[in-house]
């Protein structure tokens, strides 16, 4: 039996539960179950969110590359996420729908599509399952009933709350975030007189809908809608099991969202739901936290077009992807013009070497083997795996790829001859470079430049066709039009012999 790559290069990852780097041991050998909190689809996804989803894309890509079968679940939050964490304020989707005079599902559709577009632009692969909160109302009601039966939840006036103090008397609320219930009870605001909670640390599982609330479902407690935390407990355990391997999200979700998820799952099943909690760090801008109120929050489109006060020019999605991969997922990453300019150069270097390498092939024969070079090339390929297996360190992986790109340029320039290494070694080196750059890091050739080139080529053909028509050579002009049409490029004749084209 051949050894699997995941046995040869065991993965370690930083578990937020222990705060330590641990060796990853899957529940089912050869399989990885991973859940990541997806977007609340009430506005355009900003760059900080993109970083989180890109990092979990990297993680799932590498597990697959090692030969694991990965089930990656990332949800869409389309109900229940209120404006603040204390179960107060309007539902974010409902509010947007009210302000824009739309149905809530119109809001959801619009921003889900925007989210998918952005993911595609950054080459972030879709998850295996993308469940939505509104698609799992029945399951949420069922688990809330179970929590009430188990004594961890109570109903007041048509709303249901999780009893944190009761839970904490037999279990550990704060196990993930290291918060202490007694301190949470003392800090912050006092309970409002109209607050129905027994204790202010309690959180909503189900909220009663006012007569004007548009998003509502019938339940044993009357018409209402689910709290935010319960959806993730339901959707993660439904598709991955009561206990699963990895749960991820941005660091800001650790408390209260993920802490509440643990309490809900333990309260319902008696089992700890997640073996490894993984959190990605924040994106800062010139050293400051990215936030809408500071005016330093970026939308992907502003970045591509350069239409933002803090940007000197636009950057392609692959440059941004490269930039984000330069830092470890658990570190903060600072966003600035200078950093992006440097990333653009770095990315181009790796991308050029990729193009060169794809054209290089070993002649087959060897003259005299250079054992040092052989060892170096094999060591570099080994290093790629070791770096990524070490807590998905994309930064050191990129450093190794840079070293490999210098070797590639040596081959191209003829400084070293391919006949001094074995064809097998060259094969491993080539597959390693291409595999890690394209499949693991997800860096493809930037389409933008190719698109520009394609447009110029079409312009040339359009001019030729114009000339053919002037010469009354309709056979040739029709051929150009039909051949382009066959490739999905439509030429449209305008007045005065002007021509335009569209590409499918
Ligand atoms: Zn969640």
């Amino acid at each position: 039996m051949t050894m699997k790559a995941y046995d040869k290069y065991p993965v370690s990852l930083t578990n937020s539960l222990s705060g330590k780097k641990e060796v990853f041991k899957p529940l089912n050998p050869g399989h990885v179950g991973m859940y990541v909190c997806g977007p609340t689809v009430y506005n355009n996804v900003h760059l900080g969110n993109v970083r989180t989803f890109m990092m979990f894309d990297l993680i799932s890509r590498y597990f697959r590359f090692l030969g694991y079968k990965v089930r990656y679940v990332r949800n869409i939050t389309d109900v229940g996420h209120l404006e603040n964490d204390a179960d107060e304020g309007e539902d974010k989707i409902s509010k947007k729908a009210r302000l824009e005079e739309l149905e809530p599902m119109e809001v959801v559709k619009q921003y889900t599509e925007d989210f998918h577009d952005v993911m595609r632009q950054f080459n972030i692969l879709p998850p295996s399952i993308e469940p939505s909160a509104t698609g799992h109302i029945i399951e949420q009601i069922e688990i809330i009933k179970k929590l009430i039966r188990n004594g961890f939840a109570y109903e007041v006036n048509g709303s249901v709350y999780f009893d944190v103090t009761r839970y904490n008397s037999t279990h550990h609320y704060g196990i993930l975030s290291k918060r202490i219930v007694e301190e949470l009870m003392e800090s912050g605001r006092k309970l409002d007189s109209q607050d129905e909670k027994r204790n202010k640390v309690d959180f909503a599982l189900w909220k009663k809908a006012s007569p004007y609330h548009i998003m509502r479902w019938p339940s044993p407690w009357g018409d209402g809608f689910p709290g935010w935390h319960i959806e993730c407990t339901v959707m993660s355990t439904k598709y991955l099991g009561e206990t699963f391997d990895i749960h991820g999200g941005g660091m800001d979700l650790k408390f209260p969202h993920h802490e509440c998820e643990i309490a809900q799952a333990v309260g319902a099943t008696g089992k700890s739901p997640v073996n490894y909690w993984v959190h990605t760090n924040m994106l800062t801008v010139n050293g400051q936290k990215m936030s809408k109120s500071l005016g330093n929050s970026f939308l992907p489109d502003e970045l591509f077009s350069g239409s933002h006060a803090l940007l000197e020019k636009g950057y392609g999605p692959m440059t941004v992807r490269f930039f984000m991969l330069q830092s470890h997922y658990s570190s903060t990453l600072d966003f600035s013009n200078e950093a992006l300019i440097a990333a653009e150069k770095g990315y181009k270097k790796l991308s050029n070497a990729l193009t060169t390498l794809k054209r290089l092939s070993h002649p087959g024969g060897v003259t005299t083997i250079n054992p040092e070079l052989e060892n170096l090339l094999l060591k570099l390929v080994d290093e790629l795996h070791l770096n990524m297996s070490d807590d998905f360190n994309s930064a050191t992986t990129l450093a190794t790829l840079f070293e490999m790109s210098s070797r590639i340029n040596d081959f191209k320039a003829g400084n070293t001859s391919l006949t001094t290494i074995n064809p097998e070694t060259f094969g491993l080196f080539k597959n390693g470079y291409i595999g890690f750059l394209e499949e693991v890091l997800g860096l493809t050739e930037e389409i933008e430049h190719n698109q520009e080139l394609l447009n110029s080529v079409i312009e040339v053909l359009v001019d030729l066709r114009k000339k053919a028509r002037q010469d009354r050579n309709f056979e040739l002009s029709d051929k150009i039009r039909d051949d382009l049409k066959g490739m999905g490029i439509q030429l449209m004749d305008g007045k005065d012999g002007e021509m335009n084209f569209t590409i499918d």
Side-chain angles (χ1 to χ4, degrees):
M1 205 178 81
T2 52
M3 201 184 191
K4 288 273 190 187
Y6 52 70
D7 290 322
K8 192 174 175 198
Y9 300 104
V11 167
S12 64
L13 75 183
T14 304
N15 190 350
S16 307
L17 265 181
S18 64
K20 290 192 188 104
K21 215 192 266 184
E22 297 175 11
V23 175
F24 174 71
K25 291 197 190 77
L27 276 166
N28 304 308
H31 293 255
V32 176
M34 178 163 89
Y35 184 88
V36 171
C37 293
T40 302
V41 283
Y42 72 107
N43 64 8
N44 297 100
V45 58
H46 69 70
L47 223 51
N49 304 131
V50 170
R51 183 187 184 203
T52 296
F53 300 126
M54 191 184 290
M55 292 301 122
F56 290 106
D57 179 52
L58 173 76
I59 290 173
S60 66
R61 278 168 177 271
Y62 187 56
F63 275 129
R64 287 200 178 101
F65 189 79
L66 286 180
Y68 280 110
K69 202 162 184 289
V70 179
R71 181 178 293 167
Y72 175 20
V73 183
R74 190 185 65 206
N75 71 306
I76 295 282
T77 295
D78 54 0
V79 71
H81 198 169
L82 303 187
E83 287 177 288
N84 77 40
D85 280 341
D87 298 323
E88 284 160 6
E90 235 177 306
D91 180 293
K92 290 183 177 185
I93 310 261
S94 252
K95 182 179 179 183
K96 188 79 169 190
R98 183 174 58 77
L99 293 175
E100 299 200 353
E101 297 181 322
L102 294 169
E103 274 292 318
M105 286 301 119
E106 287 181 285
V107 173
V108 166
K109 174 122 195 314
Q110 180 182 336
Y111 292 107
T112 302
E113 281 184 5
D114 170 78
F115 172 68
H116 287 155
D117 284 346
V118 170
M119 294 298 103
R120 257 192 303 276
Q121 281 169 314
F122 285 105
N123 198 21
I124 295 170
L125 299 175
S128 333
I129 305 177
E130 194 171 43
S132 68
T134 54
H136 297 75
I137 299 289
I138 293 167
E139 291 91 336
Q140 295 181 75
I141 290 173
E142 284 310 309
I143 195 173
I144 295 169
K145 278 158 67 179
K146 204 166 174 189
L147 285 168
I148 294 174
R149 277 202 305 275
N150 292 355
F152 293 115
Y154 56 91
E155 191 234 320
V156 190
N157 299 326
S159 292
V160 183
Y161 297 96
F162 189 91
D163 192 339
V164 171
T165 31
R166 168 67 220 286
Y167 173 80
N168 196 50
S169 66
T170 46
H171 298 83
H172 181 189
Y173 186 82
I175 190 169
L176 176 69
S177 62
K178 318 301 173 209
R179 310 254 178 146
I180 296 160
V181 172
E182 290 72 22
E183 287 177 9
L184 290 168
M185 298 276 282
E186 277 160 28
S187 66
R189 296 175 307 104
K190 292 247 178 331
L191 280 178
D192 297 353
S193 55
Q194 71 264 47
D195 204 318
E196 307 157 327
K197 296 178 191 174
R198 286 183 191 161
N199 291 292
K200 70 174 176 190
V201 280
D202 296 352
F203 56 88
L205 297 167
W206 186 263
K207 292 279 270 184
K208 180 187 179 156
S210 73
Y212 311 104
H213 198 93
I214 30 184
M215 302 183 80
R216 57 198 302 138
W217 290 266
S219 81
W221 318 286
D223 274 11
F225 57 95
W228 173 35
H229 314 306
I230 196 72
E231 65 169 86
C232 285
T233 296
V234 159
M235 292 186 274
S236 58
T237 54
K238 172 164 180 173
Y239 298 108
L240 298 172
E242 288 181 346
T243 300
F244 55 94
D245 295 308
I246 299 173
H247 191 313
M251 216 175 56
D252 51 327
L253 295 184
K254 212 189 262 184
F255 186 86
H257 187 53
H258 292 161
E259 194 70 61
C260 295
E261 275 189 52
I262 296 177
Q264 292 166 158
V266 173
T269 68
K271 291 180 198 158
S272 176
V274 177
N275 285 343
Y276 305 90
W277 283 90
V278 177
H279 290 98
T280 54
N281 213 321
M282 276 183 317
L283 189 63
T284 56
V285 181
N286 297 318
Q288 275 184 308
K289 190 184 174 209
M290 189 181 276
S291 91
K292 274 212 186 92
S293 55
L294 290 170
N296 64 358
S297 126
F298 282 83
L299 294 177
D301 276 346
E302 295 171 324
L303 189 64
F304 302 151
S305 62
S307 60
H308 190 287
L310 293 171
L311 289 177
E312 284 164 21
K313 64 186 204 75
Y315 299 90
M318 283 303 115
T319 294
V320 181
R321 186 165 176 121
F322 174 92
F323 162 73
M324 290 188 175
L325 292 169
Q326 275 179 308
S327 107
H328 190 254
Y329 70 83
S330 66
S331 321
T332 55
L333 172 61
D334 195 48
F335 190 84
S336 68
N337 253 307
E338 296 70 43
L340 282 171
I341 289 168
E344 197 171 49
K345 276 192 198 137
Y347 165 67
K348 211 165 241 169
K349 194 171 171 200
L350 291 185
S351 169
N352 287 342
L354 178 71
T355 311
T356 304
L357 183 62
K358 281 183 174 170
R359 289 185 193 134
L360 277 181
S361 58
H362 197 284
V366 284
T367 48
T368 332
I369 290 292
N370 177 345
E372 268 172 46
L373 182 61
E374 282 255 342
N375 286 339
L376 173 69
L377 297 186
L378 293 173
K379 191 184 105 271
L380 288 169
V381 176
D382 198 42
E383 237 176 67
L384 290 173
H385 291 89
L386 294 173
N387 289 336
M388 273 306 289
S389 280
D390 180 13
D391 205 5
F392 311 100
N393 200 328
S394 51
T396 53
T397 304
L398 281 172
T400 305
L401 287 171
F402 273 114
E403 233 180 290
M404 291 171 87
S405 74
S406 301
R407 303 286 83 76
I408 293 165
N409 291 332
D410 280 346
F411 287 131
K412 185 192 179 192
N415 300 339
T416 39
S417 165
L418 283 170
T419 58
T420 62
I421 51 169
N422 283 304
E424 297 75 33
T425 306
F426 180 69
L428 285 169
F429 177 83
K430 187 171 178 173
N431 290 341
Y433 188 88
I434 297 174
F436 273 79
L437 194 68
E438 290 190 331
E439 280 176 56
V440 177
L441 300 184
L443 290 166
T444 57
E445 286 161 79
E446 194 85 80
I447 316 159
E448 233 183 5
H449 305 295
N450 292 341
Q451 191 61 54
E452 273 171 35
L453 188 67
L454 179 62
N455 286 349
S456 334
V457 172
I458 297 171
E459 298 283 358
V460 171
L461 287 167
V462 166
D463 283 346
L464 278 176
R465 180 161 177 260
K466 215 187 278 177
K467 178 84 172 56
R469 282 163 67 97
Q470 278 161 7
D471 297 346
R472 309 194 66 76
N473 185 349
F474 296 113
E475 201 185 329
L476 179 61
S477 82
D478 288 352
K479 182 175 163 42
I480 293 174
R481 184 197 59 207
D482 295 343
D483 285 357
L484 286 173
K485 196 174 174 192
M487 289 179 260
I489 300 161
Q490 299 268 8
L491 294 188
M492 290 163 304
D493 298 321
K495 51 180 185 197
D496 312 327
E498 280 300 313
M499 271 182 253
N500 237 322
F501 64 89
T502 58
I503 305 173
D504 291 348

